[in-house]
Amino acid sequence: MSNGTEKRTEEKKSYEGRSITVTFEAGRCLHAAECVRGLPEVFDTGRRPWIRPDGADAERLVGVVRRCPSGALQFERVDGGETRREITEET
């Protein structure tokens, strides 16, 4: 397993894996810990980088990212799988 590659874009950080890229927007996070409880092998706040997308199957990772209540976590498949999670702002 690789450690994933971390890239910053404005206030979002991207964590690239072999089959999926996960982005995290800290200012949006509600700290509900759905990610940490759902896949502790991927999301570990005591480790750097704290998101390691290759720590689990991409399908399992998609399921956990979709449970993020704030939308702080998003994903983009780079292996041709399910497309990214789109977040819409409520007005």
Side-chain angles (χ1 to χ4, degrees), residues 16-22 54 58 75-82:
E16 297 178 358
R18 290 183 302 270
S19 59
I20 189 167
T21 297
V22 177
D54 291 330
F75 71 89
E76 182 172 4
R77 294 290 296 263
V78 294
D79 64 354
E82 182 179 354

Side-chain angles (χ1 to χ4, degrees), residues 41-60:
E41 62 270 36
V42 172
F43 300 96
D44 183 348
T45 59
R47 180 180 64 202
R48 294 294 175 258
W50 80 280
I51 300 174
R52 295 186 183 187
D54 291 330
D57 177 80
E59 291 300 321
R60 289 179 59 215

Side-chain angles (χ1 to χ4, degrees), residues 5-9 11-17 20-26 28 35 43 50-51 53 61 65 68 70-77 84-85 87:
T5 304
E6 179 181 340
K7 288 186 179 178
R8 285 182 192 240
T9 305
E11 292 189 29
K12 287 185 182 181
K13 289 184 185 177
S14 293
Y15 300 86
E16 297 178 358
I20 189 167
T21 297
V22 177
T23 59
F24 175 67
E25 189 175 347
R28 197 171 184 159
C35 56
F43 300 96
W50 80 280
I51 300 174
L61 186 49
V65 169
C68 178
S70 67
L73 290 170
Q74 298 181 38
F75 71 89
E76 182 172 4
R77 294 290 296 263
R84 80 175 67 195
R85 174 184 177 173
I87 303 299

Side-chain angles (χ1 to χ4, degrees), residues 29-45:
C29 183
L30 298 174
H31 305 288
E34 288 291 328
C35 56
V36 175
R37 284 193 304 274
L39 281 175
E41 62 270 36
V42 172
F43 300 96
D44 183 348
T45 59

